Amino acid sequence: MSHAAVTEERPSTLRGASLPKWSPWAIAAGSLAVAVLLGLVAGIESRIQWGLIAGLLFLVATYVLAAKVEGRRQAKDRIATSLVWVAFLLAVVPLVSLVWTTVARGTKVLDLYFLTHSMGIVADSQPGGGIYHAIIGSLEQVGLATLMAAPIGVLTAIYLVEYGRGGLARAVTFFVDVMTGIPSVVAGLFILSLMLIFEMEPFGFAGSLALAILMVPVVVRSTEEMLKLVPNELREASLALGIPKWRTILKVVLPTSIGGITTGIMLAIARIAGETAPVLLLVFGNRFINNNPFEGAQQSLPLYIYQQYANSAGANAAYDRAWAASLTLIAFVMILNLLARGIARWKAPKSGR
């Protein structure tokens, strides 16, 4: 018999015993069954507590079995992986529950009539009415905020990445970091103070100014990170050909990172679309349709949801309208995120073979 044949027949001594691939699912099913049994015996009615008990049992059982079969070193690896999965489930369960509740309650009155009519003379306690005036207000206010914040944010990021040196750049970076964490009500109070100084009445554009303040630091941060991802070799190659720096930024840097920049702007829009405090202070709300954001009070979806829920005591109609408007707002944000992903994939640099 040849030496190669002896080598092939000899079992490998580097591979130890391991749990089967289906063991995590079996452990999870067993942990869930034991948690339900313990909950029923102990009289625990909360299913959330059942889930927490099942997660704890899953971690303990995984470590014990892995340590006995595979050794403590592999058991630690499995317990780390299990912790990641448990944390993932703990994050997903509230999200799924929120979406499920919103869809279940929001579809009661969500129809074409609801989307194409305003509240008008309909009282909060009466059925009927819609959110057309709130949709118009939100689109105009968010749109104006984007027109102001997007260019300012992108140009600021270009300065910080391409030109920023010294004390001025550090000061701009510091203030951008501070603006990222300010509460939305502070931005609303700032614009409100200006309105009081000039004796101005509530109007939609005032809300756009506050939303733009909240949007600028998000755009700056996201754009700055995208510009940093552009390889310096591209800049150097363009400059070596004698092309001015401003033209290099315009023709090389921005087209390379346009997908990520657009995604950041879309996510910033989604972030300000649900703000209520600035709109409550500055826009004030309106039951009728107001297409002019520069004159008179206006409505928006977040403010509409707040007002309907605040006036829903003993009125199921207002409560149902609040949930339907919430579902519409979630759908709006989801569409923006899908658009951002689509644009990012469309504008992403094509990898060569």
Side-chain angles (χ1 to χ4, degrees), residues 9 14 24 75 94 110 144 173 192 210 224 258 285 292 308 313 323 330 351:
E9 293 177 359
L14 297 178
L110 184 60
L144 290 172
T173 302
L192 180 62
E224 190 176 0
I258 190 63
N292 186 3
Q308 290 298 310
W323 279 107
I330 290 177
S351 58

Side-chain angles (χ1 to χ4, degrees), residues 20 41 80 108 127 153 155 163 174 259 281 283 322 327:
V41 172
K108 291 182 179 180
L155 293 175
Y163 297 98
F174 172 76
L281 292 173
V283 181
L327 181 58

Side-chain angles (χ1 to χ4, degrees), residues 31-349:
S31 301
L32 184 60
V34 174
V36 172
L37 181 60
L38 291 175
L40 293 175
V41 172
I44 301 175
E45 299 180 356
S46 175
R47 296 184 178 180
I48 297 178
Q49 294 179 352
W50 292 4
L52 294 176
I53 295 173
L56 182 61
L57 292 175
F58 176 75
L59 294 175
V60 174
T62 299
Y63 181 80
V64 171
L65 292 176
K68 186 175 182 180
V69 177
E70 302 175 336
R72 291 187 177 182
R73 183 175 182 180
Q74 187 65 22
K76 292 179 181 179
D77 180 74
R78 284 188 177 272
I79 203 68
T81 305
S82 301
L83 282 172
V84 172
W85 278 103
V86 171
F88 169 74
L89 292 176
L90 289 177
V92 167
V93 168
L95 177 62
V96 173
S97 176
L98 172 64
V99 174
W100 176 264
T101 303
T102 306
V103 172
R105 297 186 177 183
T107 52
K108 291 182 179 180
V109 297
L110 184 60
D111 53 18
L112 186 60
Y113 179 88
F114 183 74
L115 296 174
T116 56
H117 287 75
S118 65
M119 288 301 293
I121 59 175
V122 178
D124 291 331
S125 59
Q126 296 176 342
I131 58 171
Y132 179 75
H133 60 310
I135 294 176
I136 293 297
S138 286
L139 290 177
E140 291 181 349
Q141 293 160 27
V142 173
L144 290 172
T146 304
L147 289 177
M148 292 182 288
I152 294 175
V154 172
L155 293 175
T156 302
I158 291 175
Y159 166 76
L160 293 176
V161 175
E162 304 293 339
Y163 297 98
R165 301 291 185 274
L168 179 59
R170 289 193 295 269
V172 172
T173 302
F174 172 76
F175 282 109
V176 168
D177 292 337
V178 172
M179 290 178 62
T180 304
I182 63 171
S184 58
V185 67
V186 175
L189 288 173
F190 171 71
I191 301 299
L192 180 62
S193 63
L194 297 179
M195 292 174 60
L196 294 176
I197 292 175
F198 293 101
E199 299 181 353
M200 303 174 68
E201 297 293 329
F203 61 110
F205 184 67
S208 299
L209 292 174
L211 296 178
I213 294 175
L214 299 173
M215 186 177 176
V216 165
V218 180
V219 176
V220 172
R221 276 286 164 258
S222 60
T223 304
E224 190 176 0
E225 294 302 321
M226 291 301 104
L227 293 177
K228 289 179 180 178
L229 293 177
V230 178
N232 285 328
E233 289 77 4
L234 294 178
R235 298 181 176 89
E236 294 170 357
S238 177
L239 295 174
L241 295 175
I243 300 176
K245 188 170 184 177
W246 68 269
R247 194 171 183 86
T248 299
I249 297 172
L250 187 63
K251 295 295 186 179
V252 177
V253 178
L254 287 180
T256 305
S257 58
I258 190 63
I261 294 174
T262 306
T263 302
I265 294 174
M266 289 288 186
L267 295 179
I269 294 173
R271 181 248 189 271
I272 66 171
E275 292 293 343
T276 306
V279 180
L280 179 62
L281 292 173
L282 305 171
V283 181
F284 207 67
N286 193 343
R287 303 180 68 86
F288 296 91
I289 300 172
N290 180 12
N291 294 323
N292 186 3
F294 299 98
E295 182 179 0
Q298 228 180 7
Q299 188 62 278
S300 72
L301 279 173
L303 182 58
Y304 179 90
I305 296 169
Y306 168 77
Q307 291 176 342
Q308 290 298 310
Y309 183 79
N311 299 327
S312 64
N316 292 328
Y319 190 70
D320 292 339
R321 285 193 294 265
W323 279 107
S326 301
L327 181 58
T328 305
L329 184 59
I330 290 177
F332 174 70
V333 174
M334 186 179 298
I335 291 172
L336 284 180
N337 280 273
L338 291 175
L339 285 175
R341 289 179 177 274
I343 293 174
R345 180 170 296 183
W346 174 44
K347 291 294 185 178

